[in-house]
Amino acid sequence: MSSEDNLLPLIVEPERLAEHLDEPSLLIIDVPLKAESYGQGHVPGAVFLDHRLLLSGEGEVPCKVPSTEALSRLFSSLGLTRDTHVVAYDDEGGGWAGRLLWTLELIGHTRYSYLNGGIHAWREAGLPVSTEPHAPAPSDYEAEILHPEVAIDRLEIMERLGEKGFAVWDARSRAEYDGEKGNNKHLGHIPGAVNMEWTEAMDRERALRIRDYAELITELEALGLTPDMEVVTHCQSHHRSGFTWLVGKALGFEKIRGYAGSWKEWGNRDDTPIEK
């Protein structure tokens, strides 16, 4: 389905969303880092999502994608249907909202938008907030992985390192990338990966909206990442890189993929190549 069929663009500004709040097909999901943010004030009609439900939460790599059964339960509880247009936002500039949208892309639900800047931008625009919880009307949603290419696993990354046109965008802090900090067995980064910390793509002067696209494209090109390439993005748990995945998509990187295992998996194994 083309994005022209969508109710709203991929990146939607607060004022534009405000015009559509009564749209019956709209499902607005607040997926904050701090749960109390929802109670302190959310977009009217938004439902709350505990971000932990976007991760499998088990095994040695708890940040992997939940099972299709768990995703079916989750999206049914939120009231998702095939015709729903989802608008996601959070209280931190797009990490968990990005992870949610990446998950929707993975299951082939492509009617979605990100509220640019999240609740910060909404408040800054002077738009009304609600402190009343809004309960979703449950649906019967059957999730299946329809777009597996949006994800990538450790083995494929290892196979393809150094391949022309294939690149890794590490969204962690410089200190993590350089191997100076982290709580993993091994510190450092995937060989050849380039580093732009996720917050560097946010405009702190504009309530954490995504920064000017032309500037971002120029900076990413300087790092060796261009929209025609296949780019894998990761962090420690594919939370911060939920946002960089979304930014890549907004900038026209059509082959941007998320590595859910992220450094949690890569940095705790003995058979993964690492650079410092």
Side-chain angles (χ1 to χ4, degrees), residues 1 80 82 101-112 141 143-150:
M1 192 186 76
L80 189 67
R82 297 282 165 210
L101 297 180
W102 175 80
T103 306
L104 286 173
E105 182 70 40
L106 195 58
I107 62 171
H109 190 94
T110 54
R111 294 172 187 252
Y112 60 73
Y141 193 91
E144 44 184 328
I145 306 296
L146 295 175
H147 291 168
E149 68 283 356
V150 179

Side-chain angles (χ1 to χ4, degrees), residues 123-233:
R123 287 191 175 126
E124 191 199 53
L127 293 161
V129 294
S130 165
T131 52
E132 291 301 308
H134 183 79
S139 59
D140 186 11
Y141 193 91
E142 208 156 307
E144 44 184 328
I145 306 296
L146 295 175
H147 291 168
E149 68 283 356
V150 179
I152 188 167
D153 64 16
R154 163 182 57 88
L155 295 172
E156 188 183 344
I157 295 173
M158 283 169 73
E159 254 168 50
R160 299 186 60 194
L161 284 180
E163 192 182 295
K164 194 172 167 9
F166 180 84
V168 178
W169 175 355
D170 187 330
R172 297 176 302 159
S173 66
R174 189 75 206 190
E176 288 169 277
Y177 175 84
D178 287 340
E180 289 162 10
K181 65 175 277 199
N183 50 6
N184 301 82
K185 189 172 179 184
H186 304 288
L187 304 182
H189 56 264
I190 295 174
V194 298
N195 178 230
M196 181 195 276
E197 184 175 3
W198 69 309
T199 57
E200 287 178 33
M202 297 174 200
D203 190 338
R204 291 182 181 83
E205 305 298 306
R206 296 183 62 245
L208 305 185
R209 285 176 176 83
I210 298 172
R211 278 179 49 214
D212 179 80
Y213 286 13
E215 282 179 23
L216 278 173
I217 289 264
T218 303
E219 287 173 27
L220 290 167
E221 280 182 352
L223 292 171
L225 303 181
T226 54
D228 58 320
M229 295 171 83
E230 190 174 335
V231 176
V232 171
T233 188

Side-chain angles (χ1 to χ4, degrees), residues 51-70:
H51 61 72
R52 291 171 297 190
L53 296 173
L54 295 169
L55 312 177
S56 68
E58 55 197 19
E60 285 180 13
V61 191
C63 47
K64 285 191 171 175
V65 178
S67 67
T68 48
E69 294 76 24

Side-chain angles (χ1 to χ4, degrees), residues 39-117:
Q40 288 161 359
H42 50 264
V43 174
V47 301
F48 170 77
L49 169 59
D50 180 340
H51 61 72
R52 291 171 297 190
L53 296 173
L54 295 169
L55 312 177
S56 68
E58 55 197 19
E60 285 180 13
V61 191
C63 47
K64 285 191 171 175
V65 178
S67 67
T68 48
E69 294 76 24
L71 290 174
S72 297
R73 279 196 306 274
L74 170 64
F75 289 118
S76 295
S77 74
L78 289 168
L80 189 67
T81 69
R82 297 282 165 210
D83 302 321
T84 306
H85 187 101
V86 173
V87 176
Y89 73 91
D90 57 41
D91 58 341
E92 50 156 6
W96 285 119
R99 173 78 189 229
L100 168 58
L101 297 180
W102 175 80
T103 306
L104 286 173
E105 182 70 40
L106 195 58
I107 62 171
H109 190 94
T110 54
R111 294 172 187 252
Y112 60 73
S113 305
Y114 168 61
L115 171 59
N116 201 7

